[in-house]
Amino acid sequence: MMISSQLRGLLMQQLRRTTQLSHNISLRSLSSSAQEAFKSAPESFSAHNYESLQVTTVQKHVLHVQLNRPEKRNAMNRAFWRELVECFQKISEDSDCRAVVISGAGKMFTAGIDIVDMASLLQPQGDDAARIAWYLRDTISKYQKTFTAIEKCPKPVIAAIHGGCIGAGVDLITACDIRYCAQDAFFRVKEVDIGLAADVGTLQRLPKVIGNQSLVNELTFTARKMMADEALDSGLVSRVFPDKDAMLDAAFALAGEISSKSPVAVQGSKINLIYSRDHSVDESLDYMATWNMSMLQTQDIIKSVQAAMEKKNTKSITFSKL
């Protein structure tokens, strides 16, 4: 790492201020602290008890959220739309979690909405068009927030897709930060085939994810399948793996790598990347300056630079919870 002499001087001054304190911390106390941090993870995980999801801790600081209705091809019933919001709100507030992998149990990622379970919501009763419209708008807004909860979660979310990712499944994965898939994966913006326009995120996020409006229009208007190789070429996914097991191993390894970094840096990066996507460069730079005027004061910078100067692996750094 090339560090200017001026920056090195400033950092060394800060390091000297913390030397006395760090000398008072024994290796034994550091080990105990790390053990306590790991012990707290099961408590966080035990708060996740759902009908349509399964949440497990796969390694320190990493949670695995599974769509868990394999007998129904992980179709999204009413419980799912409620529980996914609750799940990611809890993850957002879980100071021990630093990265999330989301996948589907069984033979496929998801078949999309559970039409049978959701039928009554799509045809509300009433004889006043205005009141029916008001009800439907409120319902659609609530369902949109289900996937927005993933985007608003400050912890990076990695989607691991195998088999079919149909309809609302595309809405879900476009709200995630990183997408991996298995070779058998395929993607379908299926809504036109059931007589409606996709309304919970695909039409808003997919164009920004792949940056090809013509292709987005084609997929949306025809509901055709996009296979794994085309998804990779278009930028919908960043990697393709031979099978589900290899994909999940890679996703967990990536989550572990992310979780070893400063949570202040990683979560701040996610928030600013999303802000920049939706704002001009000047607005985003101004937001970034305001953000970092406080975040640059973190001890994580001192710890990271010290490790680099001492040629230590950054995974050896113990960052405080966030």
Side-chain angles (χ1 to χ4, degrees), residues 132-152:
I132 292 174
W134 195 275
Y135 166 82
L136 283 173
R137 188 182 192 284
D138 183 60
T139 300
I140 294 166
S141 295
K142 286 178 180 176
Y143 282 79
Q144 289 172 343
K145 290 174 183 175
T146 297
F147 298 142
T148 299
I150 298 175
E151 188 173 81
K152 287 187 177 295

Side-chain angles (χ1 to χ4, degrees), residues 220-245:
T220 302
F221 300 158
T222 65
R224 74 165 176 85
K225 289 183 180 180
M226 171 187 269
M227 307 308 291
D229 289 339
E230 186 182 4
L232 178 63
D233 290 342
S234 71
L236 178 59
V237 301
S238 50
R239 295 184 67 185
V240 177
F241 298 87
D243 53 45
K244 181 181 179 181
D245 289 341

Side-chain angles (χ1 to χ4, degrees), residues 298-313:
T298 177
Q299 287 297 307
D300 291 10
I301 296 175
I302 307 301
K303 292 177 180 179
S304 298
V305 173
Q306 184 176 19
M309 292 171 67
E310 295 174 359
K311 298 183 178 180
K312 292 181 179 178
N313 190 320

Side-chain angles (χ1 to χ4, degrees), residues 181-238:
C181 78
Q183 190 65 56
D184 68 349
F186 64 89
F187 307 83
R188 294 187 76 179
V189 184
K190 182 72 172 171
E191 284 80 357
V192 294
D193 276 353
I194 57 172
L196 57 89
D199 57 4
V200 289
T202 290
L203 303 187
Q204 293 69 40
R205 295 188 177 100
L206 185 59
K208 295 180 179 181
V209 168
I210 67 175
N212 184 332
Q213 190 66 51
S214 177
L215 179 57
V216 170
N217 293 349
E218 178 189 333
L219 295 169
T220 302
F221 300 158
T222 65
R224 74 165 176 85
K225 289 183 180 180
M226 171 187 269
M227 307 308 291
D229 289 339
E230 186 182 4
L232 178 63
D233 290 342
S234 71
L236 178 59
V237 301
S238 50

Side-chain angles (χ1 to χ4, degrees), residues 3 20 31 63 76 87 91 97-98 114 132 184-185 192 197 206 229 231 235 248-249 259 264 311 315:
I3 304 174
Q20 223 169 1
S31 177
L63 291 180
M76 301 171 181
C87 176
I91 290 173
C97 175
R98 296 182 185 173
D114 188 330
I132 292 174
D184 68 349
V192 294
L206 185 59
D229 289 339
L248 284 174
D249 287 345
S259 71
V264 171
K311 298 183 178 180
K315 291 182 179 180

Side-chain angles (χ1 to χ4, degrees), residues 15 26 29 46 60 62 86 99 105 129 139-140 144 165 168 194 202 211 215 231 256 260:
L15 285 171
S26 67
S29 65
S46 66
K60 190 176 180 182
V62 177
E86 180 185 345
T139 300
I140 294 166
Q144 289 172 343
C165 178
I194 57 172
T202 290
L215 179 57
S260 71

